[in-house]
Amino acid sequence: MQNRKHSVGDVFSMLTIKDAYTVVRGGVWFHSVLCECGGEKLAAGGDLSSGKVKNCGCVRRAATTKHGLSSSPEYKVWAAMIQRCKNPNNAAYKNYGARGIGVCDNWSVFDSFIDDMGFRPSNKHTIERVDNSKGYSKENCTWATRYMQSVNTRVRSDNKTGFRGVSIRGRKFQASVQRNKKRVCVGVFSSAEEANQSIINYLEGLNNE
């Protein structure tokens, strides 16, 4: 086909071409495009080039959302979550969507997300999955600080306790954290769960300093 000006990966405002020249209608070619919010639609090449179409309609929907939170931190958290799980062009996609980490159908709409999660307890909290092997849903998510998240990151393959920073010492479990490039021993406990909780408490204490 002559004069194909658009290609997969071309970006127009909030839209990225996912599949170029998908269908032709009335002599006009339409592309399948992916929006920054995770939504998809068909858009005419001319409308993309001229700037007539800039998003999938999410901006208008957000402006009229019942919560009126289109500029809120919670909305930005939600949009970033959708991006890293659904947009192959997002830098974080390889660690989320490509690994099978998805977003539950109900949370494809921001209103449902905020209804389930509520507002962040503080500006230091962001979305956290309780089980890192599962996706984003009401049952598997909470608001957490970055210190709490550091405890919940994937453990090394040689870790036998199942908790980051917790190691076996005889019949006890030692809890330790990395601080200022040094290893700090938090304490020794009877169970791995107690040791893990001590790390969370310690890091939360640092967070409140």
Side-chain angles (χ1 to χ4, degrees), residues 75-206:
Y75 185 87
K76 293 177 181 178
V77 167
W78 171 81
M81 173 187 69
I82 295 292
Q83 276 292 292
R84 59 180 173 262
C85 291
K86 293 189 175 183
N87 184 1
N89 295 312
N90 185 274
Y93 180 80
K94 61 182 179 181
N95 295 321
Y96 292 86
R99 289 181 46 233
I101 302 301
V103 179
C104 68
D105 292 341
N106 195 42
W107 282 8
S108 62
V109 177
F110 174 66
D111 284 351
S112 297
F113 169 78
I114 199 67
D115 282 343
D116 286 343
M117 292 298 297
F119 296 97
R120 300 186 304 168
S122 77
N123 59 9
K124 296 179 180 179
H125 285 72
T126 188
I127 193 75
E128 164 76 342
R129 286 172 294 128
V130 177
D131 185 341
N132 276 330
S133 66
K134 298 180 181 179
Y136 290 92
S137 67
K138 179 180 179 180
E139 296 75 21
N140 193 45
C141 288
T142 184
W143 291 115
T145 66
R146 63 187 180 90
Y147 295 100
M148 294 168 65
Q149 290 182 330
S150 70
V151 176
N152 195 36
T153 54
R154 283 175 286 174
V155 298
R156 289 169 38 175
S157 59
D158 60 351
N159 186 309
K160 297 180 180 180
T161 67
F163 296 105
R164 181 179 173 87
V166 178
S167 57
I168 299 174
R169 290 294 181 268
R171 295 184 178 181
K172 299 287 187 177
F173 296 86
Q174 178 176 303
S176 58
V177 297
Q178 190 81 16
R179 188 183 185 193
N180 298 326
K181 298 182 179 181
K182 294 182 179 180
R183 204 68 183 168
V184 177
C185 178
V186 178
V188 178
F189 303 86
S190 299
S191 69
E193 289 75 15
E194 288 178 306
N196 180 61
Q197 187 59 52
S198 73
I199 292 175
I200 294 175
N201 294 341
Y202 177 84
L203 293 175
E204 281 295 276
L206 294 179

